[in-house]
Amino acid sequence: MNGGSGGAAGTGGATTTETGGPWRSELFPEVWTPKFETAQGYFLHDFSYAGFKYGEEPSAGNLPVLKAADYGVDPTGAVDSTPALQAALDDAAAGGGGIVELAAGLFRFDGALLVSASNVVLRGQGADETRLHFTKTAGMSDTAHLLFDAKLTTGVEALLVEDGLPRSTEVRVADAAGFSVGDDVAVGFVISPELVEEHGMTGTWEAFNGTWQTFFRRTIVSIDTSSTPHVLVLDVPLRYPAKVRDAASVRRETGYLTGVGVEKLSVANAASWDEAWAVTRNHAIEFGHVADGFIVDVASFPSPGAPPSGKGAGAHLLSGGILVRESKRVTVARTHLSSPQNRGPGGNGYLFEIQRSSEVLIRASTGTAGRHNFIQNWGFGTTGCVMSEVESRDGKAFVDKGSTTGFTSLSEYHHSLATANLVEASLFDDGFSTVNRNGESTGAGHTGTEDVFWNVRGKGMLRSMQFGVGYVIGTAGVSVVTESPLPMSVGTEPVDFVEGLDRGADLEPASLYDAQRALRLGLAP
């Protein structure tokens, strides 16, 4: 059923408010602070930390420039440029960092490229000028053609002695002696039987049960060892309770790639129809274990390897576009991806994908004709991520490679409780979904809680049936569904908070992310 019409929803169901003219959400008054909540207990997380260096405009800084042409990288596409470009990337890494700059042209790569060092940036001359064509399909499942990744290692661990509280930057441990200011840390806990039962997921959540999972990727900004217990102060607040009951702890991490980036180029890796459907969960670009990285001004283009006619003609990508995995503070901006060939089940056809990451910002980007154009996928620990000013169109899924017609497929939170994320100022002509998926996708279950949809428009469907409470504030055109007789609604009571249906055009501020960031930094509105 539709979530109602009009404005405020103080108890979860929508009630009518005055229409016409600018308006503010009752959850974001002009005097808002991150501690604000209504008498009914509704509140908004502070999403302003998302993105490269907490939301700064991505920049490679003053790194030295290495010209790819000097390494023999061929701009005509006549020869395989994989060894030459890999050598340039390796030299940049060996020198402590650098910008590897490609000229205009069409570059052919018959292999895959790997960056495993910080401060390495791959730059072209513009998405219309510098085009990277990847041809390899054999052995390319569950990996990427352009991969930024390094091994992340875990060091000292301290158990929490008090529950970590949502919206707090402090965690309390018995002994903080092993930590230092500036340490990267993971805050997480065990997916215990009690936690599973608490969420009504007994018999559904199984893939991660009994294992310790990272929920929050953070940096220590100060340490107080004069108090009992000791206090670690983190750069970004927690988003969900970290309970002593579930063996919640803080673990020091080392190995993140920092300052890496891809900019001003386009990619394609579509091949024959049969080759595409023999590959699963491939991505054109993947960031794994990255902190403060960026992908900006990037696009996909019709692949020279795609069929000239018939199935797959004009396709850009084999399966996936961009994957950000086990990372934090990454910005993907002004990036436009389209037309994967494999849009079948098993993790294919995802254009913008986030897995187990904190404070990722996807902004001013478009996804067209994927299976799920924008998606959080696989596992716990996607928190504080923001999709702002994105557009999703023609999401469509296919049963198998023999299918001649597909069915509408929405962008979505896909798996294991994506927590306190924001989708704002965006258009979904296919739709967005946050529901209880029950046993689908290896026990996805509840896919979201405390996620916010702010100023969302389009012709599609917005399904918000979140565990606990979710938020839909200011819409235009989209069909909002907050209740259903179908299993997707099981255990999602109460009905999510809904405010300002069909009044999104007049919602102030239009961007919650920008407004919260201005408040946090003391900037003029």
Side-chain angles (χ1 to χ4, degrees):
M1 79 182 257
N2 192 288
S5 61
T11 59
T15 58
T16 301
T17 60
E18 183 180 353
T19 59
W23 64 283
R24 295 183 71 95
S25 168
E26 67 173 280
L27 304 188
F28 196 69
E30 293 187 13
V31 293
W32 183 87
T33 73
K35 295 182 179 180
F36 177 83
E37 63 179 66
T38 68
Q40 294 82 18
Y42 295 117
F43 63 89
L44 298 173
H45 285 271
D46 186 350
F47 298 102
S48 69
Y49 299 89
F52 177 82
K53 294 185 177 180
Y54 309 102
E56 292 184 13
E57 177 65 23
S59 170
N62 296 317
L63 294 172
V65 176
L66 289 74
K67 298 290 188 180
D70 294 340
Y71 290 79
V73 177
D74 172 37
T76 71
V79 299
D80 174 20
S81 286
T82 308
L85 184 55
Q86 188 64 62
L89 294 168
D90 291 346
D91 276 2
I99 301 166
V100 176
E101 188 171 82
L102 291 160
L106 173 66
F107 300 87
R108 195 185 91 217
F109 301 95
D110 296 338
L113 299 166
L114 172 65
V115 174
S116 57
S118 294
N119 300 312
V120 176
V121 175
L122 183 60
R123 174 186 292 169
Q125 304 304 308
D128 293 333
E129 300 293 327
T130 302
R131 297 179 294 160
L132 281 58
H133 173 216
F134 295 95
T135 67
K136 184 179 180 182
T137 60
M140 291 307 297
S141 293
D142 291 304
T143 189
H145 282 94
L146 177 56
L147 174 63
F148 289 70
D149 198 7
K151 184 178 181 181
L152 195 65
T153 58
T154 301
V156 64
E157 177 181 22
L159 290 168
L160 271 61
V161 296
E162 298 178 12
D163 289 350
L165 302 178
R167 295 187 289 165
S168 173
T169 57
E170 297 182 353
V171 292
R172 288 166 170 76
V173 299
D175 186 0
F179 296 95
S180 301
V181 172
D183 281 349
D184 288 314
V185 295
V187 181
F189 38 90
V190 173
I191 309 303
S192 68
E194 293 82 3
L195 183 145
V196 173
E197 183 179 3
E198 183 175 72
H199 290 80
M201 290 285 98
T202 301
T204 299
W205 282 346
E206 294 185 343
F208 303 96
N209 289 6
T211 64
W212 191 97
Q213 295 290 309
T214 297
F215 272 72
F216 314 107
R217 300 176 188 273
R218 300 290 186 260
T219 302
I220 295 175
V221 296
S222 66
I223 301 173
D224 182 1
T225 57
S226 65
S227 65
T228 302
H230 294 174
V231 178
L232 299 175
V233 182
L234 309 174
D235 57 337
V236 179
L238 304 184
R239 307 289 187 182
Y240 211 58
K243 295 185 178 182
V244 172
R245 177 200 68 189
D246 302 322
S249 66
V250 183
R251 297 180 176 182
R252 186 172 60 201
E253 297 181 310
T254 55
Y256 281 104
L257 299 185
T258 63
V260 296
V262 180
E263 59 182 357
K264 300 180 181 180
L265 53 81
S266 57
V267 293
N269 60 7
S272 74
W273 186 250
D274 286 342
E275 286 177 309
W277 283 82
V279 173
T280 188
R281 294 180 298 277
N282 170 265
H283 292 83
I285 302 173
E286 179 177 342
F287 274 15
H289 307 130
V290 170
D292 295 317
F294 58 90
I295 301 170
V296 297
D297 299 315
V298 169
S300 62
F301 68 96
S303 174
S309 60
K311 290 183 177 180
H316 296 194
L317 303 167
L318 280 172
S319 169
I322 291 171
L323 169 62
V324 180
R325 170 181 52 80
E326 296 173 345
S327 296
K328 60 183 177 180
R329 301 191 306 269
V330 171
T331 291
V332 180
R334 301 184 298 278
T335 291
H336 309 287
L337 304 177
S338 178
S339 305
Q341 290 170 306
N342 186 344
R343 288 187 275 174
N348 294 294
Y350 303 170
L351 294 180
F352 295 84
E353 181 176 356
I354 301 172
Q355 291 184 11
R356 305 185 300 280
S357 296
S358 297
E359 279 67 53
V360 172
L361 173 64
I362 301 176
R363 189 158 209 188
S365 298
T366 60
T368 305
R371 181 182 179 97
H372 301 297
N373 290 330
F374 296 87
I375 186 170
Q376 166 274 341
N377 185 32
W378 191 244
F380 296 91
T382 294
T383 67
C385 297
V386 175
M387 300 179 190
S388 179
E389 300 173 343
V390 306
E391 296 186 2
S392 176
R393 294 181 173 87
D394 195 28
K396 188 173 290 188
F398 291 84
V399 175
D400 55 40
K401 71 175 183 179
S403 301
T404 56
T405 59
F407 54 91
T408 299
S409 187
L410 314 184
S411 295
E412 66 181 17
Y413 299 119
H414 194 71
H415 209 284
S416 299
L417 209 66
T419 302
N421 302 286
L422 171 66
V423 176
E424 64 150 30
S426 294
L427 178 145
F428 294 93
D429 274 350
D430 33 31
F432 204 109
S433 180
T434 311
V435 300
N436 179 359
R437 297 186 64 229
N438 296 282
E440 295 180 45
S441 302
T442 318
H446 292 300
T447 59
T449 184
E450 298 179 9
D451 298 307
V452 177
F453 297 97
W454 178 281
N455 187 17
V456 172
R457 67 192 188 281
K459 297 181 291 186
M461 177 184 296
L462 176 55
R463 299 192 305 207
S464 184
M465 287 168 272
Q466 303 185 39
F467 177 80
V469 176
Y471 299 89
V472 178
I473 300 172
T475 65
V478 293
S479 175
V480 177
V481 180
T482 56
E483 295 179 89
S484 172
L486 301 176
M488 70 177 70
S489 181
V490 172
T492 63
E493 303 81 3
V495 175
D496 288 345
F497 180 100
V498 178
E499 183 183 26
L501 288 181
D502 293 322
R503 296 188 60 204
D506 296 323
L507 175 61
E508 294 184 347
S511 168
L512 178 63
Y513 169 78
D514 284 342
Q516 289 183 328
R517 189 168 184 271
L519 287 170
R520 178 170 59 82
L521 298 178
L523 303 175

